[in-house]
PDB file of all heavy atoms in Angstrom:
ATOM      1  N   GLY A 152     -37.387 -35.466 -13.063  1.00  0.00           N
ATOM      2  CA  GLY A 152     -38.806 -35.507 -12.706  1.00  0.00           C
ATOM      3  C   GLY A 152     -38.987 -35.866 -11.234  1.00  0.00           C
ATOM      4  O   GLY A 152     -39.953 -36.528 -10.862  1.00  0.00           O
ATOM      5  N   ASP A 155     -42.241 -34.811  -8.084  1.00  0.00           N
ATOM      6  CA  ASP A 155     -43.572 -35.370  -7.816  1.00  0.00           C
ATOM      7  C   ASP A 155     -43.547 -36.890  -8.024  1.00  0.00           C
ATOM      8  O   ASP A 155     -42.604 -37.435  -8.607  1.00  0.00           O
ATOM      9  CB  ASP A 155     -44.591 -34.720  -8.773  1.00  0.00           C
ATOM     10  CG  ASP A 155     -45.998 -34.670  -8.182  1.00  0.00           C
ATOM     11  OD1 ASP A 155     -46.229 -35.252  -7.100  1.00  0.00           O
ATOM     12  OD2 ASP A 155     -46.875 -34.042  -8.812  1.00  0.00           O
ATOM     13  N   GLY A 156     -44.607 -37.550  -7.564  1.00  0.00           N
ATOM     14  CA  GLY A 156     -44.847 -38.948  -7.886  1.00  0.00           C
ATOM     15  C   GLY A 156     -43.732 -39.900  -7.467  1.00  0.00           C
ATOM     16  O   GLY A 156     -43.170 -39.792  -6.368  1.00  0.00           O
ATOM     17  N   ILE A 157     -43.417 -40.839  -8.357  1.00  0.00           N
ATOM     18  CA  ILE A 157     -42.406 -41.861  -8.075  1.00  0.00           C
ATOM     19  C   ILE A 157     -41.027 -41.214  -7.881  1.00  0.00           C
ATOM     20  O   ILE A 157     -40.246 -41.627  -7.016  1.00  0.00           O
ATOM     21  CB  ILE A 157     -42.369 -42.881  -9.243  1.00  0.00           C
ATOM     22  CG1 ILE A 157     -43.682 -43.674  -9.294  1.00  0.00           C
ATOM     23  CG2 ILE A 157     -41.174 -43.818  -9.112  1.00  0.00           C
ATOM     24  CD1 ILE A 157     -43.892 -44.473 -10.587  1.00  0.00           C
ATOM     25  N   ASP A 176     -36.591 -30.825 -12.670  1.00  0.00           N
ATOM     26  CA  ASP A 176     -38.020 -30.918 -12.947  1.00  0.00           C
ATOM     27  C   ASP A 176     -38.476 -29.624 -13.603  1.00  0.00           C
ATOM     28  O   ASP A 176     -37.898 -28.564 -13.376  1.00  0.00           O
ATOM     29  CB  ASP A 176     -38.815 -31.167 -11.650  1.00  0.00           C
ATOM     30  CG  ASP A 176     -40.145 -31.867 -11.903  1.00  0.00           C
ATOM     31  OD1 ASP A 176     -41.066 -31.214 -12.466  1.00  0.00           O
ATOM     32  OD2 ASP A 176     -40.273 -33.055 -11.560  1.00  0.00           O
ATOM     33  N   ILE A 177     -39.552 -29.722 -14.352  1.00  0.00           N
ATOM     34  CA  ILE A 177     -40.130 -28.535 -15.001  1.00  0.00           C
ATOM     35  C   ILE A 177     -40.971 -27.735 -13.997  1.00  0.00           C
ATOM     36  O   ILE A 177     -41.235 -26.551 -14.203  1.00  0.00           O
ATOM     37  CB  ILE A 177     -40.975 -28.976 -16.225  1.00  0.00           C
ATOM     38  CG1 ILE A 177     -41.217 -27.821 -17.187  1.00  0.00           C
ATOM     39  CG2 ILE A 177     -42.279 -29.659 -15.802  1.00  0.00           C
ATOM     40  CD1 ILE A 177     -41.801 -28.265 -18.524  1.00  0.00           C
ATOM     41  N   ALA A 197     -35.671 -27.540 -15.017  1.00  0.00           N
ATOM     42  CA  ALA A 197     -35.301 -27.809 -16.413  1.00  0.00           C
ATOM     43  C   ALA A 197     -36.483 -28.449 -17.119  1.00  0.00           C
ATOM     44  O   ALA A 197     -37.192 -29.271 -16.535  1.00  0.00           O
ATOM     45  CB  ALA A 197     -34.093 -28.748 -16.477  1.00  0.00           C
ATOM     46  N   ASP A 198     -36.682 -28.059 -18.374  1.00  0.00           N
ATOM     47  CA  ASP A 198     -37.602 -28.781 -19.255  1.00  0.00           C
ATOM     48  C   ASP A 198     -36.736 -29.793 -19.995  1.00  0.00           C
ATOM     49  O   ASP A 198     -35.902 -29.411 -20.831  1.00  0.00           O
ATOM     50  CB  ASP A 198     -38.281 -27.817 -20.229  1.00  0.00           C
ATOM     51  CG  ASP A 198     -39.272 -28.543 -21.140  1.00  0.00           C
ATOM     52  OD1 ASP A 198     -39.208 -29.791 -21.247  1.00  0.00           O
ATOM     53  OD2 ASP A 198     -40.105 -27.853 -21.755  1.00  0.00           O
ATOM     54  N   LEU A 199     -36.927 -31.065 -19.691  1.00  0.00           N
ATOM     55  CA  LEU A 199     -36.038 -32.110 -20.225  1.00  0.00           C
ATOM     56  C   LEU A 199     -36.162 -32.266 -21.738  1.00  0.00           C
ATOM     57  O   LEU A 199     -35.331 -32.923 -22.358  1.00  0.00           O
ATOM     58  CB  LEU A 199     -36.314 -33.436 -19.504  1.00  0.00           C
ATOM     59  CG  LEU A 199     -35.819 -33.399 -18.053  1.00  0.00           C
ATOM     60  CD1 LEU A 199     -36.725 -34.189 -17.138  1.00  0.00           C
ATOM     61  CD2 LEU A 199     -34.393 -33.901 -17.957  1.00  0.00           C
ATOM     62  N   ASN A 225     -36.257 -40.754 -14.752  1.00  0.00           N
ATOM     63  CA  ASN A 225     -37.625 -41.006 -14.287  1.00  0.00           C
ATOM     64  C   ASN A 225     -38.678 -40.157 -14.988  1.00  0.00           C
ATOM     65  O   ASN A 225     -39.811 -40.625 -15.179  1.00  0.00           O
ATOM     66  CB  ASN A 225     -37.674 -40.757 -12.769  1.00  0.00           C
ATOM     67  CG  ASN A 225     -39.079 -40.613 -12.244  1.00  0.00           C
ATOM     68  OD1 ASN A 225     -39.801 -41.599 -12.084  1.00  0.00           O
ATOM     69  ND2 ASN A 225     -39.506 -39.370 -11.981  1.00  0.00           N
ATOM     70  N   ALA A 275     -39.537 -47.551 -16.938  1.00  0.00           N
ATOM     71  CA  ALA A 275     -40.337 -47.979 -18.091  1.00  0.00           C
ATOM     72  C   ALA A 275     -41.807 -48.015 -17.661  1.00  0.00           C
ATOM     73  O   ALA A 275     -42.233 -47.200 -16.833  1.00  0.00           O
ATOM     74  CB  ALA A 275     -39.842 -49.330 -18.587  1.00  0.00           C
ATOM     75  N   TYR A 289     -46.417 -42.999 -26.184  1.00  0.00           N
ATOM     76  CA  TYR A 289     -45.885 -43.335 -24.853  1.00  0.00           C
ATOM     77  C   TYR A 289     -45.421 -44.794 -24.809  1.00  0.00           C
ATOM     78  O   TYR A 289     -44.310 -45.079 -24.333  1.00  0.00           O
ATOM     79  CB  TYR A 289     -46.983 -43.079 -23.818  1.00  0.00           C
ATOM     80  CG  TYR A 289     -46.625 -43.405 -22.382  1.00  0.00           C
ATOM     81  CD1 TYR A 289     -45.894 -42.515 -21.595  1.00  0.00           C
ATOM     82  CD2 TYR A 289     -47.056 -44.589 -21.783  1.00  0.00           C
ATOM     83  CE1 TYR A 289     -45.594 -42.797 -20.274  1.00  0.00           C
ATOM     84  CE2 TYR A 289     -46.767 -44.881 -20.460  1.00  0.00           C
ATOM     85  CZ  TYR A 289     -46.032 -43.981 -19.701  1.00  0.00           C
ATOM     86  OH  TYR A 289     -45.737 -44.276 -18.386  1.00  0.00           O
ATOM     87  N   LYS A 293     -41.711 -46.184 -24.083  1.00  0.00           N
ATOM     88  CA  LYS A 293     -41.439 -47.003 -22.892  1.00  0.00           C
ATOM     89  C   LYS A 293     -40.859 -48.365 -23.257  1.00  0.00           C
ATOM     90  O   LYS A 293     -40.045 -48.918 -22.512  1.00  0.00           O
ATOM     91  CB  LYS A 293     -42.710 -47.151 -22.063  1.00  0.00           C
ATOM     92  CG  LYS A 293     -43.085 -45.876 -21.313  1.00  0.00           C
ATOM     93  CD  LYS A 293     -41.967 -45.462 -20.371  1.00  0.00           C
ATOM     94  CE  LYS A 293     -42.316 -44.259 -19.531  1.00  0.00           C
ATOM     95  NZ  LYS A 293     -41.200 -43.855 -18.660  1.00  0.00           N
ATOM     96  N   PRO A 319     -43.003 -50.041 -13.559  1.00  0.00           N
ATOM     97  CA  PRO A 319     -44.147 -50.007 -12.646  1.00  0.00           C
ATOM     98  C   PRO A 319     -45.444 -50.395 -13.361  1.00  0.00           C
ATOM     99  O   PRO A 319     -45.605 -50.163 -14.560  1.00  0.00           O
ATOM    100  CB  PRO A 319     -44.235 -48.540 -12.208  1.00  0.00           C
ATOM    101  CG  PRO A 319     -43.034 -47.844 -12.775  1.00  0.00           C
ATOM    102  CD  PRO A 319     -42.580 -48.669 -13.937  1.00  0.00           C
ATOM    103  N   GLY A 320     -46.370 -50.956 -12.583  1.00  0.00           N
ATOM    104  CA  GLY A 320     -47.753 -51.089 -13.036  1.00  0.00           C
ATOM    105  C   GLY A 320     -48.465 -49.762 -12.775  1.00  0.00           C
ATOM    106  O   GLY A 320     -47.848 -48.696 -12.887  1.00  0.00           O
ATOM    107  N   TRP A 321     -49.728 -49.832 -12.403  1.00  0.00           N
ATOM    108  CA  TRP A 321     -50.471 -48.585 -12.143  1.00  0.00           C
ATOM    109  C   TRP A 321     -50.211 -48.146 -10.703  1.00  0.00           C
ATOM    110  O   TRP A 321     -50.658 -48.799  -9.756  1.00  0.00           O
ATOM    111  CB  TRP A 321     -51.967 -48.802 -12.379  1.00  0.00           C
ATOM    112  CG  TRP A 321     -52.731 -47.503 -12.406  1.00  0.00           C
ATOM    113  CD1 TRP A 321     -52.247 -46.271 -12.693  1.00  0.00           C
ATOM    114  CD2 TRP A 321     -54.115 -47.331 -12.127  1.00  0.00           C
ATOM    115  NE1 TRP A 321     -53.250 -45.327 -12.631  1.00  0.00           N
ATOM    116  CE2 TRP A 321     -54.410 -45.949 -12.271  1.00  0.00           C
ATOM    117  CE3 TRP A 321     -55.149 -48.193 -11.770  1.00  0.00           C
ATOM    118  CZ2 TRP A 321     -55.680 -45.422 -12.070  1.00  0.00           C
ATOM    119  CZ3 TRP A 321     -56.414 -47.662 -11.569  1.00  0.00           C
ATOM    120  CH2 TRP A 321     -56.668 -46.296 -11.720  1.00  0.00           C
ATOM    121  N   VAL A 322     -49.507 -47.032 -10.559  1.00  0.00           N
ATOM    122  CA  VAL A 322     -49.030 -46.576  -9.252  1.00  0.00           C
ATOM    123  C   VAL A 322     -49.836 -45.363  -8.813  1.00  0.00           C
ATOM    124  O   VAL A 322     -50.016 -44.410  -9.583  1.00  0.00           O
ATOM    125  CB  VAL A 322     -47.536 -46.210  -9.330  1.00  0.00           C
ATOM    126  CG1 VAL A 322     -47.022 -45.759  -7.965  1.00  0.00           C
ATOM    127  CG2 VAL A 322     -46.725 -47.390  -9.850  1.00  0.00           C
ATOM    128  N   ARG A 326     -51.231 -37.641  -9.190  1.00  0.00           N
ATOM    129  CA  ARG A 326     -51.839 -37.401 -10.504  1.00  0.00           C
ATOM    130  C   ARG A 326     -52.704 -38.586 -10.929  1.00  0.00           C
ATOM    131  O   ARG A 326     -53.803 -38.404 -11.445  1.00  0.00           O
ATOM    132  CB  ARG A 326     -50.744 -37.121 -11.544  1.00  0.00           C
ATOM    133  CG  ARG A 326     -51.206 -36.352 -12.759  1.00  0.00           C
ATOM    134  CD  ARG A 326     -50.022 -35.807 -13.539  1.00  0.00           C
ATOM    135  NE  ARG A 326     -49.157 -36.871 -14.017  1.00  0.00           N
ATOM    136  CZ  ARG A 326     -49.440 -37.675 -15.029  1.00  0.00           C
ATOM    137  NH1 ARG A 326     -50.562 -37.535 -15.686  1.00  0.00           N
ATOM    138  NH2 ARG A 326     -48.587 -38.607 -15.399  1.00  0.00           N
TER     139      ARG A 326
HETATM  140  N1  NAD B  75     -47.682 -43.701 -11.970  1.00  0.00           N
HETATM  141  C1  NAD B  75     -47.815 -44.761 -12.749  1.00  0.00           C
HETATM  142  O1  NAD B  75     -48.841 -45.462 -12.697  1.00  0.00           O
HETATM  143  C2  NAD B  75     -46.713 -45.172 -13.698  1.00  0.00           C
HETATM  144  C3  NAD B  75     -46.835 -46.402 -14.337  1.00  0.00           C
HETATM  145  C4  NAD B  75     -45.851 -46.828 -15.199  1.00  0.00           C
HETATM  146  C5  NAD B  75     -44.740 -46.023 -15.433  1.00  0.00           C
HETATM  147  N2  NAD B  75     -44.642 -44.823 -14.817  1.00  0.00           N
HETATM  148  C6  NAD B  75     -43.443 -44.013 -15.123  1.00  0.00           C
HETATM  149  O2  NAD B  75     -42.805 -43.604 -13.936  1.00  0.00           O
HETATM  150  C7  NAD B  75     -42.189 -42.325 -14.125  1.00  0.00           C
HETATM  151  C8  NAD B  75     -42.729 -41.342 -13.088  1.00  0.00           C
HETATM  152  O3  NAD B  75     -44.137 -41.220 -13.280  1.00  0.00           O
HETATM  153  P1  NAD B  75     -45.094 -40.599 -12.183  1.00  0.00           P
HETATM  154  O4  NAD B  75     -46.363 -41.348 -12.262  1.00  0.00           O
HETATM  155  O5  NAD B  75     -44.385 -40.468 -10.895  1.00  0.00           O
HETATM  156  O6  NAD B  75     -45.363 -39.161 -12.837  1.00  0.00           O
HETATM  157  P2  NAD B  75     -45.785 -37.768 -12.148  1.00  0.00           P
HETATM  158  O7  NAD B  75     -46.536 -37.031 -13.200  1.00  0.00           O
HETATM  159  O8  NAD B  75     -46.411 -37.971 -10.829  1.00  0.00           O
HETATM  160  O9  NAD B  75     -44.361 -37.073 -11.947  1.00  0.00           O
HETATM  161  C9  NAD B  75     -43.543 -36.835 -13.065  1.00  0.00           C
HETATM  162  C10 NAD B  75     -42.626 -35.669 -12.804  1.00  0.00           C
HETATM  163  O10 NAD B  75     -41.910 -35.418 -14.028  1.00  0.00           O
HETATM  164  C11 NAD B  75     -41.955 -34.029 -14.287  1.00  0.00           C
HETATM  165  N3  NAD B  75     -41.864 -33.783 -15.728  1.00  0.00           N
HETATM  166  C12 NAD B  75     -42.778 -34.135 -16.690  1.00  0.00           C
HETATM  167  N4  NAD B  75     -42.374 -33.673 -17.881  1.00  0.00           N
HETATM  168  C13 NAD B  75     -41.207 -33.009 -17.683  1.00  0.00           C
HETATM  169  C14 NAD B  75     -40.329 -32.293 -18.531  1.00  0.00           C
HETATM  170  N5  NAD B  75     -40.568 -32.132 -19.830  1.00  0.00           N
HETATM  171  N6  NAD B  75     -39.215 -31.753 -17.985  1.00  0.00           N
HETATM  172  C15 NAD B  75     -38.970 -31.880 -16.672  1.00  0.00           C
HETATM  173  N7  NAD B  75     -39.773 -32.523 -15.812  1.00  0.00           N
HETATM  174  C16 NAD B  75     -40.882 -33.090 -16.317  1.00  0.00           C
HETATM  175  C17 NAD B  75     -43.285 -33.552 -13.719  1.00  0.00           C
HETATM  176  O11 NAD B  75     -43.288 -32.159 -13.475  1.00  0.00           O
HETATM  177  C18 NAD B  75     -43.393 -34.379 -12.454  1.00  0.00           C
HETATM  178  O12 NAD B  75     -42.807 -33.746 -11.348  1.00  0.00           O
HETATM  179  C19 NAD B  75     -42.529 -41.913 -15.565  1.00  0.00           C
HETATM  180  O13 NAD B  75     -41.449 -42.271 -16.410  1.00  0.00           O
HETATM  181  C20 NAD B  75     -43.761 -42.729 -15.879  1.00  0.00           C
HETATM  182  O14 NAD B  75     -43.919 -42.933 -17.252  1.00  0.00           O
HETATM  183  C21 NAD B  75     -45.602 -44.368 -13.954  1.00  0.00           C
END
Side-chain angles (χ1 to χ4, degrees):
D155 208 353
I157 293 167
D176 205 289
I177 199 169
D198 181 343
L199 289 145
N225 164 77
Y289 179 81
K293 286 301 184 182
W321 192 24
V322 181
R326 203 165 61 75

